[in-house]
Amino acid sequence: TIIEFKNVSKTYADTDTTVLKDISFELEEGKFYTLLGASGSGKSTILNIIAGLLDATDGDVILDDKRINNLLANKRNVHTIFQSYALFPNMNVFDNVAFALKIKGVDKKEIAKRVSESLKLVRLDGFEKRSITKLSGGPKVLLLDESLSALDMKLRKDMQYELRELQQSLGITFIFVTHDQEEALAMSDWVFIMNEGEIVQSGTPTDIYDEPINHFVADFIGESNILNGKMIEDYLVEFNGQKFEAVDGGMRKNEPIEVVIRPEDIWFTLPNEGKFNVKVDTQLFRGVHYEIVAYDEFNNEWLIHSTHKAIVGETVGLDFDPEAIHIMRLNESEEEFDARIEEYVEEEETVGLAKAVEEENA
């Protein structure tokens, strides 16, 4: 663990506004972390507290096993790349990149070597003497606050690859702040979803996309079809007036739940040959797929991503696999979710052991 937050809160006394609420997490060395959330969710506040630009109201911030709450910003072995870049306007590209290394007293030959390698990684070799663009060097932790937001789409995607390659090749910890879900999923080892000063869910990009913990996460990450339903029993769910096989368990019988089905997990069939019928309402071509909106007999809206073109106004069948049905408990926190899953796994193991003993005795 390189960075740890222990019950960190931040309240601005002049406005009595709490922007962070009892935040706790641990970050491992050499991984790419992303704080993802809408404006005002608290993600940049976390970054600024790590950097020493803000003080926590409560709680402890640990860096390399040392409490750094009162450590000056310039004494912390972290560097920040801001949205506005915050570089030295009187220095060229080379000197900006080399600045941190010079402060650390690194040998001139080593500085030249490391700056050259860094500039090649971000395709800025040959621009050493030009006026500043961006870059930083030498920290154990690199903090990036919306640092790609000023770039056009193509360059932004190119830099996502470059940043990821840079992080992996240097082996330092990156903490990246963004409100762009696609960017977070593409680059990160681990993502923290933030809302109103709290971490709503954390996990790998795959975990968060495939198993959103609540309505907010499912709606915020990617695109989803979210419907009210009922968990009849383990692996059997009811929604849209029908019962469907599912792969989730651990709920109470007949518990009200929400069902999430991603638009790319749905496909069209002929009428009456799928799970149910829908009527196609609109269609947009998105380059790699068609984005289709349709409505079922209960007037539920369905979003479908398909490589096949539909006809507006036609009635078609919709189909999906049991694995495409993701179940969410209503108003459940991440801690409650983890506790429930752990309890469910223990119950399954106990039942399995009992069956094994029964079979052995028989």
Side-chain angles (χ1 to χ4, degrees):
T1 301
I2 189 168
I3 291 177
E4 184 177 1
F5 266 39
K6 293 183 176 180
N7 306 109
V8 172
S9 297
K10 176 62 180 177
T11 300
Y12 291 100
D14 53 341
T15 60
D16 197 30
T17 302
T18 299
V19 293
L20 287 184
K21 305 171 185 176
D22 197 33
I23 297 292
S24 296
F25 59 74
E26 294 182 4
L27 307 184
E28 296 179 12
E29 189 169 6
K31 289 190 174 182
F32 197 121
Y33 293 94
T34 295
L35 302 173
L36 174 64
S39 297
S41 60
K43 53 191 188 297
S44 292
T45 302
I46 289 179
L47 218 64
N48 289 330
I49 289 175
I50 295 173
L53 304 177
L54 284 177
D55 295 325
T57 305
D58 295 298
D60 292 322
V61 182
I62 312 296
L63 175 64
D64 274 344
D65 296 324
K66 296 179 182 178
R67 184 178 183 273
I68 61 169
N69 291 48
N70 301 318
L71 190 65
L72 294 175
N74 63 342
K75 300 295 184 181
R76 304 183 183 198
N77 199 10
V78 301
H79 288 176
T80 306
I81 298 179
F82 299 95
Q83 184 173 354
S84 60
Y85 307 139
L87 298 177
F88 298 105
N90 59 321
M91 297 182 187
N92 59 25
V93 170
F94 181 94
D95 290 334
N96 266 279
V97 179
F99 183 78
L101 301 175
K102 291 178 180 178
I103 293 297
K104 289 177 177 288
V106 177
D107 179 76
K108 287 184 177 181
K109 289 184 178 179
E110 178 65 15
I111 289 176
K113 176 176 176 290
R114 290 170 66 176
V115 169
S116 176
E117 291 174 350
S118 296
L119 292 179
K120 284 181 180 178
L121 280 172
V122 295
R123 300 178 184 175
L124 284 176
D125 47 317
F127 291 83
E128 291 84 354
K129 296 182 180 180
R130 298 282 183 92
S131 59
I132 58 166
T133 306
K134 69 173 285 263
L135 252 181
S136 180
K140 292 193 72 175
V141 178
L142 188 63
L143 311 176
L144 301 105
D145 192 359
E146 303 269 12
S147 52
L148 303 183
S149 62
L151 305 179
D152 63 63
M153 183 180 294
K154 186 177 186 307
L155 184 55
R156 184 171 183 159
K157 289 195 172 183
D158 287 344
M159 284 306 302
Q160 290 172 11
Y161 285 105
E162 299 296 347
L163 273 180
R164 185 62 171 146
E165 184 178 334
L166 180 65
Q167 184 270 325
Q168 291 177 331
S169 63
L170 295 178
I172 63 177
T173 303
F174 276 32
I175 307 176
F176 186 80
V177 161
T178 184
H179 60 269
D180 187 314
Q181 301 95 324
E182 182 181 332
E183 193 166 75
L185 296 176
M187 299 171 64
S188 313
D189 292 311
W190 198 265
V191 179
F192 294 92
I193 308 293
M194 298 200 62
N195 184 39
E196 296 182 350
E198 297 179 300
I199 295 173
V200 183
Q201 183 174 0
S202 65
T204 66
T206 303
D207 289 341
I208 287 177
Y209 187 83
D210 287 344
E211 298 293 341
I213 196 170
N214 57 28
H215 189 106
F216 173 82
V217 177
D219 192 47
F220 188 73
I221 296 293
E223 296 177 296
S224 302
N225 297 289
I226 305 176
L227 299 96
N228 292 322
K230 182 168 60 176
M231 202 72 192
I232 304 300
E233 59 186 27
D234 286 352
Y235 319 123
L236 185 65
V237 62
E238 181 180 304
F239 62 92
N240 246 32
Q242 299 182 52
K243 295 178 181 178
F244 302 94
E245 291 183 8
V247 296
D248 289 333
M251 310 283 181
R252 296 184 298 272
K253 287 189 175 182
N254 298 316
E255 178 178 351
I257 48 89
E258 286 185 308
V259 172
V260 178
I261 303 180
R262 296 291 187 180
E264 65 271 17
D265 292 334
I266 303 170
W267 65 88
F268 292 123
T269 69
L270 293 173
N272 303 316
E273 291 188 6
K275 297 290 194 299
F276 45 80
N277 291 339
V278 296
K279 186 175 181 179
V280 177
D281 185 68
T282 59
Q283 178 174 250
L284 295 174
F285 181 57
R286 294 296 189 185
V288 295
H289 64 260
Y290 291 96
E291 184 176 278
I292 300 160
V293 175
Y295 289 87
D296 61 30
E297 62 176 311
F298 301 101
N299 205 35
N300 292 317
E301 180 180 283
W302 288 88
L303 179 67
I304 305 104
H305 291 171
S306 175
T307 55
H308 300 287
K309 189 175 182 178
I311 299 174
V312 173
E314 75 174 342
T315 296
V316 296
L318 283 192
D319 210 349
F320 42 83
D321 291 326
E323 290 80 9
I325 301 174
H326 307 293
I327 307 299
M328 300 186 304
R329 259 188 167 166
L330 300 176
N331 301 318
E332 184 173 50
S333 69
E334 185 170 10
E335 290 76 15
E336 290 169 334
F337 176 82
D338 289 341
R340 175 171 57 80
I341 294 301
E342 185 175 343
E343 181 181 352
Y344 175 69
V345 170
E346 289 176 355
E347 287 178 359
E348 289 286 290
E349 290 175 347
T350 301
V351 171
L353 180 61
K355 286 183 178 178
V357 171
E358 185 179 329
E359 291 172 0
E360 181 72 20
N361 290 337

